Amino acid sequence: QVQLVESGGGLVQAGGSLSLSCAASGIIFSINDMGWYRQAPGKQRELVASISSGGVTNYADSVKGRFTISRDNAKNTVYLQMSSLKPEDTAVYYCNADSVWFIGGLRDYWGQGTQVTVSS
C-alpha cells in the first residue's frame, strides 16, 4: 500500500509564510503528477498547484507569484512554499499523487489534509 503523509500548515498572520510537505511511502516505482489542492468551508476542492515528474509546474491564478511547488523524486515528496498569505488562502490543503505505480498496481492517492489558517 501507499500512504501520503502531510506536514506543515498551521496558523499565520496575513502576509506571512508557511511550508507544506507531503511524502509518499510504500514500495513505489514512479509517480506521475503530484500536487496540492485546497478546500475552504462551503466551497469545492480546487487545485492550488501541481508538478510533473519532469518538474513542469502549474498554478492556480490566485496563487501565482506567491506559492512555489517543488518535488524530490528520489524521496517521493512534494513541497509547497506559501508566502504573502491572505485570509482567503485559509482552507484544508490536500496532497495528491496522480498515477502512482506501486507494487500493488496503479492508482491515485490523497493525503489526509492539513489546515492552513491565515488571520487578518
Side-chain angles (χ1 to χ4, degrees):
Q1 264 294 3
V2 173
Q3 282 189 317
L4 299 186
V5 179
E6 300 164 356
S7 60
L11 173 64
V12 66
Q13 288 189 331
S17 300
L18 280 175
S19 294
L20 305 179
S21 64
C22 171
S25 63
I27 302 175
I28 296 169
F29 304 123
S30 67
I31 302 175
N32 189 18
D33 292 353
M34 299 187 78
W36 292 93
Y37 290 71
R38 67 186 181 188
Q39 187 167 19
K43 294 188 176 182
Q44 289 188 331
R45 190 174 296 190
E46 62 176 0
L47 173 69
V48 176
S50 65
I51 184 167
S52 71
S53 57
V56 177
T57 58
N58 179 46
Y59 294 93
D61 287 343
S62 59
V63 306
K64 282 181 181 176
R66 300 188 298 120
F67 291 10
T68 301
I69 190 169
S70 61
R71 69 188 277 180
D72 184 332
N73 289 332
K75 297 180 179 179
N76 292 320
T77 300
V78 63
Y79 308 93
L80 186 67
Q81 176 66 41
M82 304 181 289
S83 59
S84 302
L85 283 160
K86 305 175 180 179
E88 51 263 43
D89 294 318
T90 296
V92 177
Y93 283 68
Y94 296 92
C95 173
N96 171 262
D98 173 66
S99 298
V100 179
W101 183 26
F102 68 111
I103 196 168
L106 181 72
R107 58 161 285 185
D108 299 347
Y109 284 91
W110 289 91
Q112 77 280 6
T114 185
Q115 178 70 46
V116 171
T117 302
V118 184
S119 63
S120 57

